[in-house]
Amino acid sequence: SQSPASGGGWLLILIFLSTVTTLLVPPSHPGPSLCFFLQVLLVFAKEDSQSDAFWWACDRAGFRCNIARTPESAIECFLDKHHEIIVIDGRHSRYFEPEKVYGNNSFLSLHRLPDQEEPSVLPLLCAGFSRRFVENSSVSACYNELIQIEHGEVRCQFKLRACNSVFTALEHCQEAVEITSEDHIIQYVNPSFERMMGYHKGELIGKELTELPKSDKNRADLLDTINTCIKKGKEWQGIYYARKKSGDSIQQDVKIVPVIGQGGKIRHFVAIKRPRMDNNNQVNEIKKNKSHEHLYNTESHLVVTRNAEVSLCFVCFNVQRCKRDIITLLETQVINIINAAQESSPVTVAEALDRVLEILRTTELYSPQLASKDDDPHTNDLVGGLMSDGLRRLSGNEYVFNKNLSQSQLAIPVTLNDIPPSIAEMLNDEEHWEFNILELEAATHKRPLTYLGLKIFTTFGVCDFLNCSEATLRSWLQLIEANYHSSNSYHNSTHAADVLHATAYFLRKERVKSHLEQLDEVAALIAATVHDVDHPGRTNSFLCNAGSELAILYNDTAVLESHHAALAFQLTVRDSKSNIFKNIDRNQFRTLRQAIIDMVLATEMTRHFEHVSKFVNSINKPIAAIEETSTSTNIRNSPENRLLIKRMLIKCADVANPCRPLELCIEWAGRISEEYFAQTDEEKRQGLPVVMPVFDRNTCSVPKSQISFIDYFITDMFDAWDAFASLPNLIEHLSENYNYWKNLDERKCKSLRPPPPS
């Protein structure tokens, strides 16, 4: 096809759709292309406005783009990357002769300057080229041309390429699949159909359905009902008795899908059949099948479409429910399967699979399936206590929270210049991961958050960004710290200061800095400071079981995290002297507020695996793919990606204790254990459900609880964070600490430290 001329010379662009199996994710709606995986090779002998226009058009369309300057480098690049579209500059014959250099391939080529003859198109067509374009250095014109190519030739080619993958899925799926013509002549049955019905496909293909023996167990009008429904182009789903080759009748769950072809006419019918069993039969069948190490979901997902004379595309899978390693389950067995199916599927299939993915992104699917409590009570109690909202048994018991302190009740704020020399010297080391927050706690008489906050917020220019004075910042830090409970062994202002320190440390890492804006940094520092303000030293499950006012207020959902975020803003805006937001405009405040709230809510553990999995799939994997191809591009600095990075950052900062130096790790383990012991004591006193019975101070093994926590929550998350931010020292500490706890456990030691030598 030829685009309209717009001055200048002819630019002949010929397109090659490579025959390799690179897959395309078709857009689910009109508009800018979503085909991020589509690759374009620009073959230009020299850089000019035309090559620049195509480069920026590819970027705008979301395509991956490479540039080659010589025929040899173009061939080498193509063989290495297998591009879907290749643009060749044919305007200068002294550089390229596309029909000679790239014979038997299809490319996009630029031709004919104003003072030259128009080249013959026939040799180019014989060489496999399929399109030409009028020379035009407008990015919009190049973009429109690429989008037309994608929606035309490229998509058609990908649909054809998907067929092998589709029929492989058909051959291996567990459901019986039968495809017939509009006249009900059998055209295809898969191996599952053969096994279920006892026929060989050679006995069935080409026969009409009416030729096969029928079961007399169906209602007399059932066939008429089915035919009436499907001839109207509607799906039919129900129970049907079929007669096997042996003569036995089998009850089936059947779904019949009409396939609409060109002109809106029905061209095929696809029937998906599964033996119907009652619960007892299902259990017996599973016991008899030695390959069933896991229980499979009985629901299967079907998507069917038709492409011209090519038969149907069908995707079928079962979701395996795994007892362990939820990350592997989600990424490898579910999400990756669906993504792969999308990439190899036509538009209709991809759109339906998008809906499946939305279902899979619910929180429950990111929760681990644990073994029985007898197998590992420490793990079950720890995970269950952190990731559930309790039994929701409401009672008259209430947990009394700290009454909010007013500004007048606080001590006079200190300035950076007023900090005692010993504390100032400690703060000089705050940029190091091994910084000892517990020493700062002792030196500041349990007020480390104010001092560390002043240092870190000043270093990151928070006052300048918020346009607030240092006095206002000091007042705010003191106000927030005063609303942490110093009586808590773990969730106190020292923990908040520790999380603030980890957050600042992460924000200084080069890759993290390159993906976040200053507003993101300020939001992260504020969120770390307030993320546990007014924490009662009890879990969400306890508050729900006790029927606390907060649990009722927040509907037993993310109770503490919602309270921390809400109270932080209530305290901040209550008094102008401590309102760090008073001088920023409304839009900036709303954006900053939403970022802070989102990060605080991300610390709630029920969505832990969801956050980690999304980070790995959306951030780590694209980066790994880019690094593998040695391209200089990076993941897109989109608001969505920044959101995932900020959530991961504060989550890792919040639970970084196992990655601290060993002595700090041991101290924090003792503090959190004491807090859980105190909760168990109170649950017993008040007659509440004991959320984590293993945390009984008389019987608990602290090493076992730490091992379980690291295995279930820490290892996978910090592996993913390290892959992004490069934190080898944290991983080394984690390994050392894990070995320490394992050694204690192997010695049957239940305490924080080994017993003294006898």
Side-chain angles (χ1 to χ4, degrees):
S1 69
Q2 181 176 311
S3 302
S6 58
W10 286 97
L11 175 65
L12 183 60
I13 299 183
L14 304 172
I15 298 137
F16 173 49
L17 304 176
S18 61
T19 56
V20 295
T21 56
T22 308
L23 300 176
L24 175 72
V25 181
S28 57
H29 55 80
S33 169
L34 300 179
C35 303
F36 179 79
F37 296 109
L38 195 148
Q39 299 193 83
V40 178
L41 175 61
L42 304 180
V43 185
F44 282 76
K46 60 181 181 178
E47 183 178 353
D48 61 6
S49 60
Q50 185 65 67
S51 66
D52 289 343
F54 271 108
W55 174 271
W56 289 112
C58 291
D59 181 72
R60 178 178 170 187
F63 300 158
R64 293 175 179 173
C65 184
N66 297 102
I67 291 184
R69 298 299 183 196
T70 65
E72 293 76 17
S73 62
I75 293 175
E76 181 180 353
C77 188
F78 169 71
L79 294 176
D80 181 48
K81 301 288 178 58
H82 299 296
H83 302 78
E84 283 72 48
I85 300 176
I86 300 179
V87 182
I88 302 178
D89 184 358
R91 295 169 296 173
H92 311 286
S93 59
R94 65 181 180 276
Y95 296 132
F96 299 116
E97 292 185 61
E99 65 274 19
K100 294 182 180 179
V101 178
Y102 301 101
N104 300 320
N105 290 332
S106 304
F107 293 84
L108 210 168
S109 179
L110 315 179
H111 269 274
R112 189 173 178 268
L113 293 175
D115 58 345
Q116 294 177 323
E117 296 180 0
E118 180 178 347
S120 171
V121 176
L122 185 58
L124 297 167
L125 293 176
C126 293
F129 293 91
S130 55
R131 195 175 183 95
R132 69 178 183 177
F133 174 73
V134 177
E135 184 176 9
N136 190 334
S137 59
S138 164
V139 174
S140 296
C142 296
Y143 170 80
N144 290 335
E145 187 70 14
L146 290 173
I147 295 303
Q148 288 181 45
I149 294 168
E150 175 211 334
H151 284 257
E153 293 95 326
V154 174
R155 285 205 183 177
C156 291
Q157 290 292 328
F158 278 125
K159 287 181 181 181
L160 292 173
R161 286 185 210 164
C163 292
N164 286 337
S165 299
V166 166
F167 278 97
T168 299
L170 277 173
E171 294 290 309
H172 288 87
C173 72
Q174 294 182 346
E175 278 73 6
V177 179
E178 173 189 72
I179 300 176
T180 65
S181 67
E182 66 271 30
D183 299 323
H184 303 294
I185 296 174
I186 300 174
Q187 296 183 331
Y188 172 85
V189 294
N190 69 344
S192 293
F193 187 97
E194 295 176 278
R195 289 191 295 270
M196 184 173 70
M197 300 303 297
Y199 289 99
H200 184 271
K201 61 183 177 183
E203 302 175 84
L204 297 173
I205 294 176
K207 287 191 175 183
E208 291 190 27
L209 289 178
T210 54
E211 298 179 39
L212 300 180
K214 302 289 186 297
S215 173
D216 54 4
K217 294 186 178 182
N218 294 310
R219 299 194 324 267
D221 62 340
L222 181 59
L223 284 176
D224 291 336
T225 301
I226 295 173
N227 284 328
T228 301
C229 178
I230 63 178
K231 284 183 178 179
K232 292 179 180 178
K234 299 180 180 179
E235 296 180 4
W236 181 87
Q237 187 167 354
I239 300 171
Y240 183 81
Y241 284 93
R243 177 162 293 182
K244 302 168 69 172
K245 185 178 180 180
S246 62
D248 299 331
S249 290
I250 178 173
Q251 190 179 27
Q252 301 171 329
D253 286 313
V254 178
K255 182 176 184 179
I256 303 177
V257 183
V259 181
I260 310 301
Q262 293 179 347
K265 294 183 179 180
I266 296 174
R267 300 298 185 187
H268 294 86
F269 295 102
V270 177
I272 304 94
K273 305 179 180 182
R274 183 174 57 245
R276 184 176 179 83
M277 295 181 287
D278 57 31
N279 290 336
N280 291 332
N281 286 339
Q282 286 184 16
V283 172
N284 293 334
E285 187 69 20
I286 290 171
K287 287 181 178 179
K288 286 189 292 183
N289 190 346
K290 63 181 181 181
S291 65
H292 278 78
E293 296 178 0
H294 303 284
L295 184 62
Y296 283 84
N297 179 8
T298 57
E299 291 299 321
S300 296
H301 303 270
L302 168 71
V303 189
V304 186
T305 188
R306 170 172 170 76
N307 176 36
E309 297 305 317
V310 182
S311 290
L312 310 170
C313 298
F314 173 83
V315 178
C316 171
F317 60 88
N318 289 304
V319 179
Q320 190 177 28
R321 296 175 59 192
C322 184
K323 295 191 297 183
R324 179 62 174 93
D325 203 341
I326 187 64
I327 301 298
T328 301
L329 168 67
L330 288 173
E331 295 180 3
T332 304
Q333 294 178 303
V334 181
I335 293 178
N336 287 347
I337 291 175
I338 299 173
N339 286 335
Q342 274 192 313
E343 293 170 354
S344 61
S345 302
V347 178
T348 311
V349 178
E351 290 175 347
L353 288 179
D354 277 337
R355 294 192 291 272
V356 176
L357 280 171
E358 287 303 314
I359 296 171
L360 289 175
R361 290 188 180 110
T362 60
T363 300
E364 290 77 8
L365 289 166
Y366 291 87
S367 301
Q369 303 293 322
L370 301 179
S372 67
K373 292 201 173 188
D374 294 335
D375 293 342
D376 189 351
H378 286 82
T379 299
N380 281 276
D381 281 1
L382 182 66
V383 177
L386 293 177
M387 298 194 65
S388 71
D389 291 325
L391 301 178
R392 290 163 172 73
R393 190 187 76 181
L394 301 181
S395 69
N397 299 308
E398 289 298 327
Y399 195 85
V400 180
F401 279 74
N402 183 35
K403 299 300 182 183
N404 301 328
L405 301 178
S406 66
Q407 183 66 38
S408 61
Q409 295 173 277
L410 301 177
I412 298 174
V414 297
T415 68
L416 280 175
N417 296 328
D418 297 331
I419 294 177
S422 59
I423 297 177
E425 186 176 353
M426 287 184 186
L427 292 175
N428 288 335
D429 295 329
E430 62 87 13
E431 293 190 11
H432 302 293
W433 180 252
E434 289 71 22
F435 176 72
N436 194 323
I437 194 69
L438 301 181
E439 290 182 357
L440 183 64
E441 176 192 55
T444 59
H445 306 289
K446 295 189 175 182
R447 294 175 57 206
L449 184 59
T450 299
Y451 289 92
L452 183 65
L454 278 171
K455 176 68 183 299
I456 290 177
F457 278 55
T458 301
T459 302
F460 279 85
V462 174
C463 287
D464 293 336
F465 181 84
L466 296 176
N467 192 25
C468 72
S469 66
E470 185 181 326
T472 302
L473 174 64
R474 296 195 309 267
S475 298
W476 179 78
L477 286 168
Q478 285 200 319
L479 178 63
I480 295 299
E481 183 158 36
N483 280 273
Y484 276 92
H485 297 206
S486 60
S487 58
N488 291 343
S489 61
Y490 183 88
H491 287 100
N492 49 41
S493 69
T494 304
H495 167 65
D498 186 58
V499 175
L500 175 60
H501 171 261
T503 299
Y505 182 83
F506 295 152
L507 288 174
R508 291 184 175 110
K509 305 304 287 185
E510 188 58 38
R511 181 171 271 173
V512 178
K513 285 177 61 177
S514 67
H515 285 91
L516 298 182
E517 299 174 355
Q518 189 177 11
L519 184 143
D520 300 314
E521 294 180 354
V522 173
L525 295 173
I526 295 174
T529 304
V530 306
H531 83 282
D532 273 335
V533 65
D534 200 31
H535 196 293
R538 301 293 182 263
T539 64
N540 280 331
S541 299
F542 177 94
L543 298 180
C544 294
N545 288 333
S548 72
E549 291 181 359
L550 284 179
I552 295 172
L553 175 64
Y554 293 111
N555 301 312
D556 292 348
T557 304
V559 175
L560 284 171
E561 293 73 23
S562 299
H563 174 62
H564 303 323
L567 179 62
F569 282 96
Q570 290 171 0
L571 292 173
T572 302
V573 302
R574 183 177 296 170
D575 192 328
S576 177
K577 293 179 181 178
S578 55
N579 186 358
I580 58 176
F581 304 125
K582 61 184 177 183
N583 293 327
I584 60 176
D585 65 65
R586 182 182 300 274
N587 290 335
Q588 189 178 44
F589 171 71
R590 287 183 60 84
T591 304
L592 187 63
R593 170 174 156 79
Q594 288 303 315
I596 294 167
I597 293 171
D598 184 83
M599 291 186 74
V600 174
L601 293 181
T603 63
E604 197 246 340
M605 294 300 289
T606 62
R607 298 182 64 190
H608 169 83
F609 295 105
E610 177 185 355
H611 291 319
V612 174
S613 185
K614 286 181 178 179
F615 178 84
V616 170
N617 282 304
S618 299
I619 306 297
N620 280 3
K621 288 187 175 179
I623 287 178
I626 290 169
E627 291 175 346
E628 185 177 343
T629 57
S630 301
T631 57
S632 59
T633 56
N634 211 331
I635 62 169
R636 295 189 174 188
N637 192 22
S638 65
E640 295 78 12
N641 285 343
R642 296 204 308 272
L643 190 70
L644 295 177
I645 292 170
K646 287 183 292 183
R647 289 174 180 172
M648 193 70 164
L649 184 151
I650 197 168
K651 282 182 60 61
C652 290
D654 188 29
V655 293
N657 307 147
C659 299
R660 293 290 188 182
L662 180 59
E663 286 303 314
L664 290 176
C665 173
I666 293 172
E667 176 64 23
W668 285 118
R671 292 187 177 201
I672 190 63
S673 298
E674 176 56 37
E675 201 163 281
Y676 288 156
F677 294 157
Q679 175 171 310
T680 300
D681 293 342
E682 186 168 354
E683 287 167 336
K684 290 179 178 179
R685 285 197 305 270
Q686 295 192 18
L688 295 172
V690 178
V691 176
M692 295 182 285
V694 76
F695 281 96
D696 186 310
R697 66 176 68 251
N698 299 314
T699 59
C700 179
S701 169
V702 175
K704 281 187 180 294
S705 67
Q706 287 297 304
I707 291 169
S708 296
F709 184 64
I710 292 172
D711 280 339
Y712 264 82
F713 294 107
I714 300 301
T715 301
D716 288 336
M717 180 169 71
F718 273 90
D719 281 346
W721 188 234
D722 171 52
F724 174 74
S726 184
L727 303 161
N729 55 329
L730 275 70
I731 302 303
E732 289 176 10
H733 287 310
L734 178 61
S735 177
E736 178 188 358
N737 297 338
Y738 186 79
N739 290 334
Y740 173 82
W741 299 121
K742 289 288 285 186
N743 181 261
L744 287 183
D745 185 48
E746 289 167 0
R747 296 169 62 179
K748 309 299 181 185
C749 179
K750 295 184 177 182
S751 60
L752 290 168
R753 301 180 187 275
S758 56

